[in-house]
Amino acid sequence: LWDVDTARGIRIVNLESEGKLRLLEWADDETLLVTASVQRPVRCSYRETCNYEWWRNLAVRTDATPPRVLLPDDLDRRFVTGSTVLAARTDSPHLVTLQTWDWLNTHQRSTAGTKIEDSERERTGWANVLYSVDTRTGKGRLLEAGTDYTRQWVLDRNGQPVARSEWNPEKGDYSIVVREGRNWRVIYRQSEKGSLALLGLAPDGKSIVALGDPDTDASKAWSIPLDGSPVSVLLEEPNGEIDQGIVDPATGTVMGLRTGGLQPKTHWLDTQWAAQIRPLERAFANRNVTLLGRSSDGKRALIAVDGPASPTTFQLVDFDKSRADVVGEAHPALARVPLGDVRAIDYPARDGTRIPAYLTLPPQREPKNLPLVVLPHGGPHYHDGWEFDYLVQFLATRGYAVLQPQFRGSTGFGKAFLTAGYQQWGGLMQDDVTDGVKHLIADGTADPQRICIVGASYGGYAALAGATFTPDLYTCAASINGVSDLPALLASEKRSDGAESGAYILSLAHIGSPGDGKLATVSPARAAASVKVPVLILHGLDDSVVPIDQSERMARA
């Protein structure tokens, strides 16, 4: 913990025993909130154990007080899962607001997170509730009890609930209700059209900012007035996607919206903040400026600055003095290293669809006849960003060109582009990757005799599928925590999460039915005899998403 005014350290806290650090945020000048997780096995059948990630929130003070676990009362065991800090700063000293899950109000949360998420098919029995928690003691009091239909809460600047959304899967009914005294009043309702994602209150505190458009493929941001007035569109991306909301870490209000695509843009809703940040955006042109935190008076802010060829630096901004000072670097040894040239491109797939991609060229090399590493992203419902990627730059500085194809099924490029990848593992999604490689061969960028495909998670699947189903295209392949057998993966998810769980239902929609014979034909572990090139297989024991059995199957095959 560091005092920026005196430029000296206040305290060193060793949190290694708490597991993996996930999030740090200040509750007040003396209290840092830490979200951490540990991976632990849970018995999911009489024969098998499954790995789950157990999450917990802690308060770390600047004095010598030991770290305090928040909400320890609602589960009499070491590992806690399912709670989330919704308001780190409130007007009440030492109090923060946490969302958690109650089973019939008995506060027993021994079920893993994937089991207690809202199901798209039926009631879960878990109630979504809010607690006001004292960071000094870790103890909480019930602030507001939702129902097992409650999906999201909207809080005001003081961490108090002002609205919540409800989804009734049996009736296909979605509603948003606002608090009026002790009662709740419906201000928005839609049926049979799915739900919205509530980001928080607008800067003026009079409306809710929400994302989604069940009626069309367009991505829209909505303003939903708390007084029940008609909703209005804040921003629309007909051929793209509104990627995320930018939330003020101090107040929880929605400051802006960020669009997807190869080169994202920010649309500010908070005019006061926009006036402060725009000079910084001009000063750091072609780079990302991300707000990490700001002082309560708004005169200073901590920002992260990065770009595809610019390693992340952390800078303390003083708006009164119009200056920004570097206070930390993510990769200080790269400060003077020539890095690869990252370009946003697109190429034609075999059906004529233009596929967006990033192409990184090695520094000080002509883009001709280069060795190429193809790096499909994980997810698969994810997308690479216009940001610093250490793996990409590591490869580029070793002389390789790097292709990151944003194949169909990727997020960030519109709903139609996303859904085109459903149930296309080894099909359209893999073809889009293959077509990108062939495009770079055809235009002379890539040496056809020196091409390797590398990826993690779904990207690992794409790497194994590349080596298996297009064995003459690649010189080598590397899979990191990759999927190799789709029927086995679905069977594992069914055992660990349950046949009626939201996670398993989504997997069926995105991958396909385990009874579909096609899944076996696009499983690399079942077609390994066709592999002609060296394959590197790595897998972490603590992966709670892809079982290590997936890599073991491929290694045996």
Side-chain angles (χ1 to χ4, degrees):
L1 306 180
W2 187 263
D3 188 315
V4 296
D5 290 323
T6 62
R8 66 180 182 85
I10 301 173
R11 182 183 182 189
I12 296 176
V13 185
N14 185 354
L15 295 173
E16 184 177 1
S17 62
E18 303 301 336
K20 306 168 190 174
L21 297 188
R22 299 292 188 174
L23 182 67
L24 303 174
E25 56 185 329
W26 287 96
D28 52 53
D29 289 348
E30 289 79 35
T31 310
L32 180 69
L33 302 183
V34 177
T35 301
S37 70
V38 292
Q39 186 273 336
R40 288 291 183 270
V42 174
R43 180 71 63 179
C44 54
S45 72
Y46 71 96
R47 291 182 177 179
E48 188 177 10
T49 58
C50 300
N51 289 332
Y52 287 119
E53 206 76 15
W54 297 81
W55 296 68
R56 57 200 306 210
N57 296 291
L58 305 97
V60 178
R61 294 183 59 79
T62 55
D63 58 22
T65 307
R68 179 78 65 180
V69 178
L70 303 184
L71 275 185
D73 296 343
D74 60 344
L75 191 66
D76 293 328
R77 60 187 71 185
R78 175 173 168 77
F79 304 116
V80 179
T81 191
S83 63
T84 305
V85 177
L86 292 190
R89 303 188 199 178
T90 69
D91 289 342
S92 302
H94 311 297
L95 294 182
V96 297
T97 304
L98 265 65
Q99 169 192 291
T100 187
W101 304 86
D102 279 359
W103 175 259
L104 299 178
N105 294 324
T106 59
H107 317 314
Q108 297 174 2
R109 293 183 297 111
S110 59
T111 307
T114 50
K115 285 181 176 288
I116 61 178
E117 290 176 355
D118 290 344
S119 171
E120 295 296 324
R121 299 179 62 181
E122 63 179 21
R123 298 172 66 178
T124 64
W126 290 90
N128 187 330
V129 299
L130 297 179
Y131 277 86
S132 179
V133 183
D134 192 318
T135 58
R136 297 166 299 180
T137 65
K139 296 183 180 297
R141 65 174 180 83
L142 184 64
L143 189 62
E144 189 69 47
T147 70
D148 52 0
Y149 293 136
T150 300
R151 295 187 66 120
Q152 289 183 277
W153 295 94
V154 176
L155 309 183
D156 64 16
R157 293 169 180 258
N158 194 31
Q160 298 297 308
V162 295
R164 71 174 191 248
S165 62
E166 302 276 323
W167 166 247
N168 185 327
E170 289 107 347
K171 296 181 179 179
D173 180 69
Y174 176 81
S175 62
I176 299 173
V177 297
V178 297
R179 190 174 188 175
E180 291 186 342
R182 295 186 177 181
N183 300 317
W184 295 84
R185 177 172 61 88
V186 176
I187 59 168
Y188 178 87
R189 170 166 276 133
Q190 61 185 27
S191 299
E192 302 297 341
K193 295 180 180 179
S195 58
L196 300 175
L198 307 186
L199 302 181
L201 291 180
D204 63 6
K206 296 179 180 179
S207 62
I208 299 168
V209 180
L211 295 183
D213 187 7
D215 293 322
T216 72
D217 286 343
S219 179
K220 294 180 180 178
W222 301 89
S223 172
I224 304 175
L226 295 176
D227 63 6
S229 301
V231 302
S232 59
V233 176
L234 285 172
L235 181 65
E236 181 174 1
E237 284 285 304
N239 300 311
E241 190 171 315
I242 302 171
D243 214 35
Q244 61 179 318
I246 301 173
V247 177
D248 186 343
T251 66
T253 59
V254 183
M255 305 172 69
L257 300 164
R258 192 168 176 84
T259 60
L262 289 177
Q263 294 177 298
K265 297 179 180 179
T266 301
H267 301 261
W268 294 108
L269 304 179
D270 187 328
T271 55
Q272 182 177 355
W273 172 250
Q276 287 182 302
I277 196 70
R278 279 176 182 146
L280 288 171
E281 293 176 328
R282 290 192 294 269
F284 299 112
N286 299 317
R287 283 177 279 178
N288 306 306
V289 178
T290 304
L291 175 67
L292 301 180
R294 58 176 176 170
S295 60
S296 55
D297 59 10
K299 294 182 178 181
R300 292 192 294 182
L302 182 67
I303 62 172
V305 179
D306 83 303
S310 301
T312 304
T313 61
F314 303 98
Q315 309 209 21
L316 183 64
V317 181
D318 189 317
F319 293 108
D320 285 347
K321 297 179 181 179
S322 298
R323 63 178 292 172
D325 296 314
V326 175
V327 293
E329 298 177 75
H331 303 279
L334 299 182
R336 294 175 178 82
V337 174
L339 298 176
D341 175 24
V342 183
R343 303 178 181 181
I345 67 169
D346 62 57
Y347 58 84
R350 61 194 66 185
D351 63 0
T353 302
R354 304 298 298 188
I355 305 301
Y358 295 109
L359 175 63
T360 302
L361 300 174
Q364 302 168 351
R365 293 282 300 275
E366 288 293 321
K368 296 296 181 184
N369 206 39
L370 294 170
L372 174 68
V373 174
V374 185
L375 198 63
H377 61 70
H381 308 307
Y382 179 74
H383 65 276
D384 294 305
W386 186 253
E387 59 196 13
F388 185 78
D389 187 316
Y390 70 89
L391 179 55
V392 170
Q393 289 293 346
F394 170 76
L395 293 167
T397 57
R398 268 61 190 165
Y400 299 99
V402 182
L403 175 67
Q404 296 172 277
Q406 308 306 297
F407 44 82
R408 274 168 283 192
S410 302
T411 58
F413 303 96
K415 186 176 179 181
F417 195 88
L418 171 69
T419 56
Y422 285 9
Q423 301 188 17
Q424 289 296 319
W425 289 53
L428 186 64
M429 292 195 294
Q430 194 70 27
D431 291 343
D432 287 348
V433 176
T434 301
D435 292 344
V437 177
K438 292 181 176 180
H439 172 75
L440 294 183
I441 293 174
D443 73 6
T445 301
D447 178 352
Q449 303 304 315
R450 295 187 294 167
I451 300 176
C452 191
I453 183 168
V454 180
S457 196
Y458 173 82
Y461 167 84
L464 296 175
T468 305
F469 304 123
T470 50
D472 297 317
L473 188 61
Y474 298 105
T475 308
C476 63
S479 168
I480 306 165
N481 291 32
V483 174
S484 70
D485 190 315
L486 297 180
L489 178 70
L490 290 172
S492 174
E493 288 189 359
K494 185 177 181 180
R495 287 192 301 271
S496 63
D497 299 336
E500 298 300 318
S501 70
Y504 182 65
I505 300 306
L506 282 176
S507 291
L508 294 180
H510 294 163
I511 299 175
S513 169
D516 185 349
K518 174 188 172 185
L519 294 190
T521 67
V522 294
S523 294
R526 304 192 185 200
S530 63
V531 174
K532 299 179 180 180
V533 300
V535 177
L536 175 64
I537 302 173
L538 305 93
H539 209 110
L541 283 171
D542 284 353
D543 192 337
S544 57
V545 178
V546 180
I548 194 172
D549 170 71
Q550 288 288 310
S551 284
E552 292 170 339
R553 286 172 181 266
M554 190 68 196
R556 289 195 299 268

